[in-house]
Amino acid sequence: MGKNPSIDLLKGVLILLVMAGHAMELAHQQHLALWIGAGFRMPLMIGISGYLLNLTRTRTEQTGVLLGRYGERMLLPWLVALIVYLLVSGWSVSWITPLDLMLRPPFHLWYVPVLFFLILVTRLLPLPPLLLLAIGAPISLATMYGFGLDHGPVGISLMSPDSRFLRFPVYFFFGMLMAEKGLPTRYLGIALLVMALGLTWWAGLRGSGNGLAYVPARLMMCLGLIALLPRLSALRLSFAPLNRIGRDSLFFYLWHPLVMGAALAGGASAMATLALSILILLLASRLFAPSTLIRRLVGSAPAPRVHMVAPEPSDVAPQPA
């Protein structure tokens, strides 16, 4: 699926919500908005990734080309960020560290390997999105009910993966299904109702500890939101600053905790930390734009191209004689 301004806009909003949530968490603040945002931010991001996935290209492209493309766009900047965060945090290194980093990524760095895993599954299992969803949904549900919604390894062995590898397929494959089938107008009201009921239910569960209710409430909220992606795409909404952040979402996602940590260490409040982080990352993104090598290393998107179109003869103002 090609670039869509509405989806870039939504990605920009989600990245800002992720940053706002992390700023509140780092400042040890608790709020209902933090609970609600944490419930749908990353499932919706994963759903968007499934929605945007070019299924034909993913399955027909040569393996070396596919791995090289995702290696350059996702895995290389993820590896660079991983090394930086390990050095900054003083993470202890042992012979099992490579396995830990791949199967149980630390901090916020789980997103890239989980997404790459789901892309590989899509390539290795050449099934329609509906069948992939039929396979992935029970696995996700079993993981959610068996291990809860908190992240952590599924098991205690050396090869036990982070639970998010198994919790998020339902969102990814549902996003793929929405890209394939769309959302007919007759189902729009149902999607809105499911989303609204799920959000209300999820909001009311804050602090309840009711693990059995967390799963259906979150599923209703997140799947309802993902179902609305085709309708949002059709609107083609755009707001330049948010669209820019959306196009550069990987860069903002990878590096915002580092900038936030520095701001909080300097005594900034949560709101000031958020504002400073957005500004610094926007400036850094602009600064890195001319260098292809730096952009590849940090995961920053190139500056959008401006296409100059020559005016038609009828559009040219008449010249004085």
Side-chain angles (χ1 to χ4, degrees), residues 2 28 49 58 61 96 117 142 153 160 162 164 179 213 215 239 241 300:
H28 304 290
S49 297
T58 300
E61 204 167 39
I96 65 171
F117 165 74
S160 298
D162 186 286
R164 285 168 287 204
V215 174
F239 178 62
S300 181

Side-chain angles (χ1 to χ4, degrees), residues 258-279:
L258 187 67
V259 179
M260 285 185 168
L264 286 171
S269 65
M271 288 302 298
T273 294
L274 177 61
L276 281 171
S277 299
I278 295 170
L279 178 61

Side-chain angles (χ1 to χ4, degrees), residues 1 131 185 205:
M1 180 172 294
L131 286 181
T185 302
L205 292 172

